[in-house]
Amino acid sequence: MKSGKYDPRPEHKFSFGLWTIGNRGRDPFGDAVRPPISPVDIVALLGETGAWGVNLHDNDLVPIDAKPAERDRIVREFQKACAKHKVTVPMATVNLFFHPVFRDGGFTSNDPEVRAYAVQKTLRAMDLGAELGAKIFVLWGGREGVETDACRRPDEAVKRLREAVNYLCEYSLDQGYGYRFALEAKPNEPRGDIYMSTTGHYLGFIPTLDHAELVGVNPEVAHEQMSGLNFTHGVAQAWEAGKLFHIDLNDQAPGRYDQDFRFGAANPKSAFFLVKFLEDVGYQGSRHFDAHAYRTEDYKGVKDFAIGCMRTYLILKEKAERWNADKEIQAILREISADNGAPPVGEFSKKGAGTLLKHVFDKDAILRKRLPYERLDQLTIEILLGVR
Ligand code: GCO
Ligand code: MN
Ligand code: MN
């Protein structure tokens, strides 16, 4: 048993996808640089790193056209490996983007046969996930989008997506699977534009579902940062709405292709505020790393990558504790939100509104109040750089 300060433990709930560790470094311009690695070997590798969970798409484990007997054998072997290496399966998902049949989407495709196949494939992926013990089912609609809006009206796509998610919720209830669904947004890639481009779009969509209580979001760092958005703000909104069911951690320079870098690799400051948020609010879900190793690495480097994701999270967690315990930081926080005795807004009442309307605000006095954010940010940076 490891005992290092930044070594992962099961209670940290660190998970990786079969597709992340198994990523062979293929990109649109170049072929794979790493040999294939079997799901069983991925589980062994994850066991060695101290990770808690492994997540999968249906076809990361079972080939798309596998016969039932082959499927069952693969699942049994995988379950054995998970038990041996003490790795759990918290989340499952479905691949509706790789096979060319999904070239124009799955749930939102114009072809009713493709839509039906997408739902059938998802039901089977849900069966598989349930068999492995998964309680979260992620839906990422990588192909649910367009290159040209000539092909369908976007509100039609929204309706089709709703119909599909409603169907999946009913199936989960009918089978007693107990799934909670986590919808994952992305602005583009592989489609020119993907519907439901941000976590905020999904937060607007979810209340329109028949079983909104079963459906939340799976925000991904890279996906919001690709559009130049502040990831922690989106996560906070999801959390506040009770919808943060899962999270995909990685890193990304804004405006680039989907880089899927090791957590904290590109922007450790925003990673810090994210970790601080998750820890401050007591988020209890998986900390899933949806990232992959640089294309220059072999499998030894993939292990370095996985350990790096978890270490960085734990280092930032420690920095967040330090930040919260810092007397000067806490004094600034008290100073900037001090109450100067103005009538509080709070809940509306006729009397309260009357008092508020009568009050004379001294704007000059308000402006004299200091907002020492330079000092506050510098203190944050000094904690992050290890000198405080
Ligand atoms: C991506 C996505 C995927 C999904 C995965 C789970 O940009 O490729 O992040 O990795 O998270 O398909 O649904
Ligand atoms: Mn991604
Ligand atoms: Mn993802």
Side-chain angles (χ1 to χ4, degrees):
M1 196 66 190
K2 293 192 216 153
S3 60
K5 195 156 125 190
Y6 305 123
D7 287 338
R9 291 192 304 269
E11 65 266 30
H12 298 134
K13 296 197 177 164
F14 290 137
S15 62
F16 291 83
L18 282 182
W19 71 97
T20 66
I21 299 298
N23 180 289
R24 297 177 56 205
R26 212 177 257 119
D27 70 20
F29 302 95
D31 211 345
V33 294
R34 291 184 280 270
I37 176 171
S38 72
V40 163
D41 288 341
I42 293 176
V43 170
L45 186 151
L46 283 175
E48 285 165 28
T49 68
W52 160 78
V54 63
N55 302 318
L56 51 111
H57 300 88
D58 47 356
N59 306 136
D60 297 340
L61 183 63
V62 182
I64 192 164
D65 288 321
K67 297 274 173 302
E70 187 193 357
R71 174 211 182 270
D72 293 349
R73 180 188 51 76
I74 293 172
V75 173
R76 267 196 314 274
E77 276 173 19
F78 185 70
Q79 280 172 319
K80 248 194 262 159
C82 289
K84 179 169 168 201
H85 299 284
K86 298 194 173 53
V87 175
T88 181
V89 180
M91 175 272 258
T93 181
V94 61
N95 186 325
L96 297 179
F97 45 87
F98 191 78
H99 196 283
V101 77
F102 300 119
R103 68 196 191 280
D104 190 29
F107 301 148
T108 63
S109 164
N110 284 334
D111 183 342
E113 195 175 359
V114 173
R115 297 205 295 277
Y117 177 54
V119 171
Q120 183 208 58
K121 192 170 188 295
T122 307
L123 301 183
R124 290 186 176 152
M126 288 168 64
D127 297 342
L128 174 67
E131 200 174 332
L132 295 170
K135 287 290 172 209
I136 294 284
F137 198 89
V138 163
L139 290 169
W140 171 64
R143 297 279 172 198
E144 313 292 2
V146 293
E147 284 69 44
T148 167
D149 282 320
C151 71
R152 76 182 73 76
R153 250 174 61 171
D155 59 330
E156 188 57 35
V158 176
K159 289 190 177 72
R160 288 175 187 167
L161 185 63
R162 179 180 302 114
E163 194 177 274
V165 178
N166 284 341
Y167 198 99
L168 303 177
C169 288
E170 293 294 352
Y171 184 69
S172 176
L173 291 169
D174 185 59
Q175 297 293 309
Y177 285 159
Y179 274 125
R180 296 199 306 154
F181 294 86
L183 310 182
E184 179 176 344
K186 187 173 181 180
N188 56 271
E189 231 187 293
R191 295 310 293 266
D193 288 291
I194 299 178
Y195 302 123
M196 304 292 168
S197 46
T198 71
T199 297
H201 287 74
Y202 268 135
L203 290 174
F205 170 72
I206 290 168
T208 72
L209 297 169
D210 289 348
H211 287 284
E213 75 285 359
L214 299 183
V215 186
V217 290
N218 177 35
E220 173 170 317
V221 178
H223 296 179
E224 310 280 320
Q225 291 187 355
M226 279 167 76
S227 325
L229 300 178
N230 181 316
F231 183 64
T232 305
H233 292 189
V235 168
Q237 195 173 344
W239 171 262
E240 208 270 335
K243 291 298 180 190
L244 189 63
F245 286 9
H246 199 263
I247 194 163
D248 277 6
L249 302 172
N250 53 16
D251 214 349
Q252 168 79 35
R256 307 277 169 94
Y257 67 97
D258 183 18
Q259 294 174 310
D260 286 338
F261 286 151
R262 187 182 74 257
F263 182 58
N267 191 341
K269 187 180 177 187
S270 60
F272 165 74
F273 282 115
L274 173 67
V275 170
K276 182 170 140 43
F277 178 82
L278 295 174
E279 297 300 322
D280 282 352
V281 299
Y283 168 73
Q284 293 294 317
S286 296
R287 277 118 177 118
H288 171 66
F289 297 103
D290 190 7
H292 47 75
Y294 298 145
R295 192 164 180 267
T296 41
E297 295 295 343
D298 58 10
Y299 281 108
K300 193 167 175 301
V302 171
K303 216 165 141 181
D304 290 338
F305 144 83
I307 291 169
C309 285
M310 297 186 283
R311 270 181 75 81
T312 298
Y313 188 100
L314 293 173
I315 293 167
L316 293 175
K317 181 177 169 193
E318 187 194 68
K319 300 283 181 194
E321 284 159 14
R322 195 174 279 264
W323 198 96
N324 287 338
D326 191 295
K327 294 213 163 55
E328 187 175 349
I329 289 177
Q330 292 310 315
I332 295 176
L333 294 182
R334 280 193 300 277
E335 180 187 343
I336 60 183
S337 47
D339 184 353
N340 288 346
V345 177
E347 238 177 72
F348 179 85
S349 71
K350 240 184 159 25
K351 190 166 165 250
T355 314
L356 182 61
L357 284 166
K358 264 189 245 126
H359 187 79
V360 181
F361 286 93
D362 182 349
K363 293 195 281 301
D364 293 332
I366 294 172
L367 269 174
R368 278 195 297 275
K369 197 167 140 181
R370 293 201 64 230
L371 294 173
Y373 295 165
E374 283 290 356
R375 180 72 187 148
L376 185 59
D377 190 63
Q378 181 64 23
L379 292 172
T380 306
I381 292 290
E382 292 194 9
I383 287 176
L384 283 180
L385 295 182
V387 298
R388 187 173 173 92

PDB file of all heavy atoms in Angstrom, residues 19 57 91 93-94 97 138-140 184 186 189 218 220 223 248 258 260 290, ligand 1:
ATOM      1  N   TRP A  19     -10.847   4.241 -23.299  1.00  0.00           N
ATOM      2  CA  TRP A  19     -10.430   4.944 -24.510  1.00  0.00           C
ATOM      3  C   TRP A  19      -9.332   5.977 -24.254  1.00  0.00           C
ATOM      4  O   TRP A  19      -8.682   6.431 -25.183  1.00  0.00           O
ATOM      5  CB  TRP A  19     -11.635   5.611 -25.183  1.00  0.00           C
ATOM      6  CG  TRP A  19     -12.195   6.815 -24.449  1.00  0.00           C
ATOM      7  CD1 TRP A  19     -11.907   8.130 -24.709  1.00  0.00           C
ATOM      8  CD2 TRP A  19     -13.126   6.832 -23.363  1.00  0.00           C
ATOM      9  NE1 TRP A  19     -12.600   8.946 -23.844  1.00  0.00           N
ATOM     10  CE2 TRP A  19     -13.355   8.182 -23.001  1.00  0.00           C
ATOM     11  CE3 TRP A  19     -13.801   5.827 -22.643  1.00  0.00           C
ATOM     12  CZ2 TRP A  19     -14.224   8.557 -21.972  1.00  0.00           C
ATOM     13  CZ3 TRP A  19     -14.657   6.207 -21.618  1.00  0.00           C
ATOM     14  CH2 TRP A  19     -14.861   7.547 -21.290  1.00  0.00           C
ATOM     15  N   HIS A  57     -16.954   3.002 -23.246  1.00  0.00           N
ATOM     16  CA  HIS A  57     -18.004   2.933 -24.266  1.00  0.00           C
ATOM     17  C   HIS A  57     -18.241   1.450 -24.526  1.00  0.00           C
ATOM     18  O   HIS A  57     -17.307   0.643 -24.408  1.00  0.00           O
ATOM     19  CB  HIS A  57     -17.544   3.531 -25.589  1.00  0.00           C
ATOM     20  CG  HIS A  57     -17.141   4.968 -25.540  1.00  0.00           C
ATOM     21  ND1 HIS A  57     -15.879   5.369 -25.246  1.00  0.00           N
ATOM     22  CD2 HIS A  57     -17.844   6.096 -25.796  1.00  0.00           C
ATOM     23  CE1 HIS A  57     -15.803   6.693 -25.309  1.00  0.00           C
ATOM     24  NE2 HIS A  57     -16.984   7.163 -25.637  1.00  0.00           N
ATOM     25  N   MET A  91     -18.974   4.321 -14.499  1.00  0.00           N
ATOM     26  CA  MET A  91     -19.722   4.976 -15.590  1.00  0.00           C
ATOM     27  C   MET A  91     -19.607   4.169 -16.874  1.00  0.00           C
ATOM     28  O   MET A  91     -18.578   3.567 -17.136  1.00  0.00           O
ATOM     29  CB  MET A  91     -19.148   6.390 -15.790  1.00  0.00           C
ATOM     30  CG  MET A  91     -19.711   7.185 -16.938  1.00  0.00           C
ATOM     31  SD  MET A  91     -18.874   6.928 -18.514  1.00  0.00           S
ATOM     32  CE  MET A  91     -17.865   8.386 -18.630  1.00  0.00           C
ATOM     33  N   THR A  93     -20.888   4.374 -21.220  1.00  0.00           N
ATOM     34  CA  THR A  93     -21.398   5.272 -22.253  1.00  0.00           C
ATOM     35  C   THR A  93     -21.511   4.487 -23.561  1.00  0.00           C
ATOM     36  O   THR A  93     -21.232   3.299 -23.607  1.00  0.00           O
ATOM     37  CB  THR A  93     -20.496   6.534 -22.359  1.00  0.00           C
ATOM     38  OG1 THR A  93     -21.024   7.410 -23.356  1.00  0.00           O
ATOM     39  CG2 THR A  93     -19.057   6.195 -22.708  1.00  0.00           C
ATOM     40  N   VAL A  94     -21.975   5.172 -24.576  1.00  0.00           N
ATOM     41  CA  VAL A  94     -22.205   4.485 -25.854  1.00  0.00           C
ATOM     42  C   VAL A  94     -21.456   5.232 -26.948  1.00  0.00           C
ATOM     43  O   VAL A  94     -21.388   6.459 -26.936  1.00  0.00           O
ATOM     44  CB  VAL A  94     -23.722   4.415 -26.170  1.00  0.00           C
ATOM     45  CG1 VAL A  94     -24.355   5.797 -26.292  1.00  0.00           C
ATOM     46  CG2 VAL A  94     -23.996   3.596 -27.433  1.00  0.00           C
ATOM     47  N   PHE A  97     -20.445   7.575 -32.536  1.00  0.00           N
ATOM     48  CA  PHE A  97     -19.705   8.495 -33.407  1.00  0.00           C
ATOM     49  C   PHE A  97     -18.701   7.811 -34.326  1.00  0.00           C
ATOM     50  O   PHE A  97     -18.319   8.361 -35.339  1.00  0.00           O
ATOM     51  CB  PHE A  97     -18.980   9.566 -32.572  1.00  0.00           C
ATOM     52  CG  PHE A  97     -18.249   9.023 -31.366  1.00  0.00           C
ATOM     53  CD1 PHE A  97     -16.945   8.563 -31.479  1.00  0.00           C
ATOM     54  CD2 PHE A  97     -18.883   8.955 -30.132  1.00  0.00           C
ATOM     55  CE1 PHE A  97     -16.276   8.057 -30.367  1.00  0.00           C
ATOM     56  CE2 PHE A  97     -18.214   8.432 -29.020  1.00  0.00           C
ATOM     57  CZ  PHE A  97     -16.917   7.989 -29.143  1.00  0.00           C
ATOM     58  N   VAL A 138     -23.195   8.206 -19.417  1.00  0.00           N
ATOM     59  CA  VAL A 138     -22.864   9.460 -20.095  1.00  0.00           C
ATOM     60  C   VAL A 138     -23.358   9.413 -21.538  1.00  0.00           C
ATOM     61  O   VAL A 138     -23.282   8.380 -22.214  1.00  0.00           O
ATOM     62  CB  VAL A 138     -21.333   9.715 -20.048  1.00  0.00           C
ATOM     63  CG1 VAL A 138     -20.916  10.760 -21.080  1.00  0.00           C
ATOM     64  CG2 VAL A 138     -20.922  10.178 -18.641  1.00  0.00           C
ATOM     65  N   LEU A 139     -23.892  10.543 -22.001  1.00  0.00           N
ATOM     66  CA  LEU A 139     -24.253  10.671 -23.415  1.00  0.00           C
ATOM     67  C   LEU A 139     -23.506  11.861 -23.985  1.00  0.00           C
ATOM     68  O   LEU A 139     -23.724  13.001 -23.573  1.00  0.00           O
ATOM     69  CB  LEU A 139     -25.762  10.894 -23.555  1.00  0.00           C
ATOM     70  CG  LEU A 139     -26.650   9.698 -23.212  1.00  0.00           C
ATOM     71  CD1 LEU A 139     -28.114  10.130 -23.132  1.00  0.00           C
ATOM     72  CD2 LEU A 139     -26.489   8.566 -24.233  1.00  0.00           C
ATOM     73  N   TRP A 140     -22.601  11.570 -24.903  1.00  0.00           N
ATOM     74  CA  TRP A 140     -21.877  12.627 -25.594  1.00  0.00           C
ATOM     75  C   TRP A 140     -22.211  12.504 -27.082  1.00  0.00           C
ATOM     76  O   TRP A 140     -21.873  11.504 -27.711  1.00  0.00           O
ATOM     77  CB  TRP A 140     -20.365  12.496 -25.380  1.00  0.00           C
ATOM     78  CG  TRP A 140     -19.602  13.428 -26.257  1.00  0.00           C
ATOM     79  CD1 TRP A 140     -19.643  14.782 -26.220  1.00  0.00           C
ATOM     80  CD2 TRP A 140     -18.729  13.084 -27.340  1.00  0.00           C
ATOM     81  NE1 TRP A 140     -18.836  15.308 -27.205  1.00  0.00           N
ATOM     82  CE2 TRP A 140     -18.264  14.285 -27.899  1.00  0.00           C
ATOM     83  CE3 TRP A 140     -18.284  11.865 -27.882  1.00  0.00           C
ATOM     84  CZ2 TRP A 140     -17.381  14.322 -28.988  1.00  0.00           C
ATOM     85  CZ3 TRP A 140     -17.408  11.895 -28.955  1.00  0.00           C
ATOM     86  CH2 TRP A 140     -16.959  13.122 -29.493  1.00  0.00           C
ATOM     87  N   GLU A 184     -23.101  15.384 -22.003  1.00  0.00           N
ATOM     88  CA  GLU A 184     -21.806  16.051 -22.186  1.00  0.00           C
ATOM     89  C   GLU A 184     -21.827  16.931 -23.427  1.00  0.00           C
ATOM     90  O   GLU A 184     -22.052  16.462 -24.539  1.00  0.00           O
ATOM     91  CB  GLU A 184     -20.713  14.985 -22.309  1.00  0.00           C
ATOM     92  CG  GLU A 184     -19.330  15.569 -22.530  1.00  0.00           C
ATOM     93  CD  GLU A 184     -18.249  14.492 -22.563  1.00  0.00           C
ATOM     94  OE1 GLU A 184     -18.508  13.350 -22.124  1.00  0.00           O
ATOM     95  OE2 GLU A 184     -17.150  14.801 -23.047  1.00  0.00           O
ATOM     96  N   LYS A 186     -20.232  19.773 -26.214  1.00  0.00           N
ATOM     97  CA  LYS A 186     -18.985  20.122 -26.909  1.00  0.00           C
ATOM     98  C   LYS A 186     -19.366  21.021 -28.085  1.00  0.00           C
ATOM     99  O   LYS A 186     -20.372  20.764 -28.740  1.00  0.00           O
ATOM    100  CB  LYS A 186     -18.306  18.841 -27.411  1.00  0.00           C
ATOM    101  CG  LYS A 186     -16.926  19.062 -27.995  1.00  0.00           C
ATOM    102  CD  LYS A 186     -16.238  17.726 -28.305  1.00  0.00           C
ATOM    103  CE  LYS A 186     -14.862  17.940 -28.850  1.00  0.00           C
ATOM    104  NZ  LYS A 186     -14.164  16.673 -29.156  1.00  0.00           N
ATOM    105  N   GLU A 189     -16.182  19.507 -33.383  1.00  0.00           N
ATOM    106  CA  GLU A 189     -15.240  18.387 -33.413  1.00  0.00           C
ATOM    107  C   GLU A 189     -15.843  17.140 -32.816  1.00  0.00           C
ATOM    108  O   GLU A 189     -15.999  17.087 -31.599  1.00  0.00           O
ATOM    109  CB  GLU A 189     -13.919  18.740 -32.684  1.00  0.00           C
ATOM    110  CG  GLU A 189     -12.699  18.442 -33.523  1.00  0.00           C
ATOM    111  CD  GLU A 189     -11.402  18.624 -32.765  1.00  0.00           C
ATOM    112  OE1 GLU A 189     -11.078  19.762 -32.402  1.00  0.00           O
ATOM    113  OE2 GLU A 189     -10.727  17.622 -32.567  1.00  0.00           O
ATOM    114  N   ASN A 218     -22.354  16.290 -17.699  1.00  0.00           N
ATOM    115  CA  ASN A 218     -20.968  15.842 -17.570  1.00  0.00           C
ATOM    116  C   ASN A 218     -20.090  16.896 -18.245  1.00  0.00           C
ATOM    117  O   ASN A 218     -19.681  16.728 -19.394  1.00  0.00           O
ATOM    118  CB  ASN A 218     -20.804  14.473 -18.259  1.00  0.00           C
ATOM    119  CG  ASN A 218     -19.364  13.987 -18.209  1.00  0.00           C
ATOM    120  OD1 ASN A 218     -18.647  14.215 -17.236  1.00  0.00           O
ATOM    121  ND2 ASN A 218     -18.924  13.304 -19.267  1.00  0.00           N
ATOM    122  N   GLU A 220     -16.960  18.993 -19.493  1.00  0.00           N
ATOM    123  CA  GLU A 220     -15.544  18.665 -19.731  1.00  0.00           C
ATOM    124  C   GLU A 220     -14.729  19.949 -19.878  1.00  0.00           C
ATOM    125  O   GLU A 220     -15.094  20.840 -20.659  1.00  0.00           O
ATOM    126  CB  GLU A 220     -15.399  17.805 -20.987  1.00  0.00           C
ATOM    127  CG  GLU A 220     -13.928  17.589 -21.342  1.00  0.00           C
ATOM    128  CD  GLU A 220     -13.666  16.556 -22.418  1.00  0.00           C
ATOM    129  OE1 GLU A 220     -14.307  15.485 -22.384  1.00  0.00           O
ATOM    130  OE2 GLU A 220     -12.808  16.818 -23.282  1.00  0.00           O
ATOM    131  N   HIS A 223     -13.870  21.058 -23.432  1.00  0.00           N
ATOM    132  CA  HIS A 223     -14.984  21.426 -24.302  1.00  0.00           C
ATOM    133  C   HIS A 223     -15.455  22.858 -24.075  1.00  0.00           C
ATOM    134  O   HIS A 223     -15.861  23.536 -25.018  1.00  0.00           O
ATOM    135  CB  HIS A 223     -16.141  20.447 -24.114  1.00  0.00           C
ATOM    136  CG  HIS A 223     -15.790  19.050 -24.540  1.00  0.00           C
ATOM    137  ND1 HIS A 223     -16.658  18.009 -24.451  1.00  0.00           N
ATOM    138  CD2 HIS A 223     -14.648  18.543 -25.058  1.00  0.00           C
ATOM    139  CE1 HIS A 223     -16.079  16.908 -24.905  1.00  0.00           C
ATOM    140  NE2 HIS A 223     -14.850  17.215 -25.266  1.00  0.00           N
ATOM    141  N   ASP A 248     -15.585  15.565 -16.590  1.00  0.00           N
ATOM    142  CA  ASP A 248     -14.458  15.112 -17.414  1.00  0.00           C
ATOM    143  C   ASP A 248     -13.321  16.114 -17.261  1.00  0.00           C
ATOM    144  O   ASP A 248     -13.398  17.257 -17.730  1.00  0.00           O
ATOM    145  CB  ASP A 248     -14.868  15.017 -18.891  1.00  0.00           C
ATOM    146  CG  ASP A 248     -15.584  13.710 -19.209  1.00  0.00           C
ATOM    147  OD1 ASP A 248     -15.872  12.936 -18.271  1.00  0.00           O
ATOM    148  OD2 ASP A 248     -15.848  13.459 -20.402  1.00  0.00           O
ATOM    149  N   ASP A 258      -9.382  19.999 -30.095  1.00  0.00           N
ATOM    150  CA  ASP A 258      -9.653  19.314 -28.833  1.00  0.00           C
ATOM    151  C   ASP A 258      -8.386  18.588 -28.369  1.00  0.00           C
ATOM    152  O   ASP A 258      -8.077  17.504 -28.830  1.00  0.00           O
ATOM    153  CB  ASP A 258     -10.796  18.318 -29.089  1.00  0.00           C
ATOM    154  CG  ASP A 258     -11.220  17.588 -27.840  1.00  0.00           C
ATOM    155  OD1 ASP A 258     -10.911  18.058 -26.735  1.00  0.00           O
ATOM    156  OD2 ASP A 258     -11.869  16.542 -27.981  1.00  0.00           O
ATOM    157  N   ASP A 260      -7.254  17.550 -25.201  1.00  0.00           N
ATOM    158  CA  ASP A 260      -7.310  16.450 -24.211  1.00  0.00           C
ATOM    159  C   ASP A 260      -6.008  16.256 -23.451  1.00  0.00           C
ATOM    160  O   ASP A 260      -5.569  15.126 -23.228  1.00  0.00           O
ATOM    161  CB  ASP A 260      -7.684  15.116 -24.902  1.00  0.00           C
ATOM    162  CG  ASP A 260      -9.141  15.050 -25.296  1.00  0.00           C
ATOM    163  OD1 ASP A 260      -9.946  15.783 -24.715  1.00  0.00           O
ATOM    164  OD2 ASP A 260      -9.473  14.255 -26.196  1.00  0.00           O
ATOM    165  N   ASP A 290     -10.712  12.541 -18.710  1.00  0.00           N
ATOM    166  CA  ASP A 290     -10.958  12.247 -20.121  1.00  0.00           C
ATOM    167  C   ASP A 290      -9.858  12.929 -20.936  1.00  0.00           C
ATOM    168  O   ASP A 290     -10.089  13.928 -21.602  1.00  0.00           O
ATOM    169  CB  ASP A 290     -12.345  12.745 -20.540  1.00  0.00           C
ATOM    170  CG  ASP A 290     -12.708  12.230 -21.926  1.00  0.00           C
ATOM    171  OD1 ASP A 290     -11.952  11.399 -22.457  1.00  0.00           O
ATOM    172  OD2 ASP A 290     -13.734  12.668 -22.471  1.00  0.00           O
TER     173      ASP A 290
HETATM  174  C1  GCO B   1     -14.423  13.749 -26.859  1.00  0.00           C
HETATM  175  C2  GCO B   1     -15.346  13.407 -25.725  1.00  0.00           C
HETATM  176  C3  GCO B   1     -15.415  11.961 -25.433  1.00  0.00           C
HETATM  177  C4  GCO B   1     -16.511  11.622 -24.481  1.00  0.00           C
HETATM  178  C5  GCO B   1     -16.690  10.161 -24.425  1.00  0.00           C
HETATM  179  C6  GCO B   1     -17.692   9.735 -23.388  1.00  0.00           C
HETATM  180  O1  GCO B   1     -14.200  14.925 -27.035  1.00  0.00           O
HETATM  181  O2  GCO B   1     -13.942  12.869 -27.552  1.00  0.00           O
HETATM  182  O3  GCO B   1     -14.924  14.098 -24.593  1.00  0.00           O
HETATM  183  O4  GCO B   1     -14.176  11.500 -24.978  1.00  0.00           O
HETATM  184  O5  GCO B   1     -16.274  12.113 -23.200  1.00  0.00           O
HETATM  185  O6  GCO B   1     -17.073   9.739 -25.672  1.00  0.00           O
HETATM  186  O7  GCO B   1     -18.933   9.862 -23.851  1.00  0.00           O
END
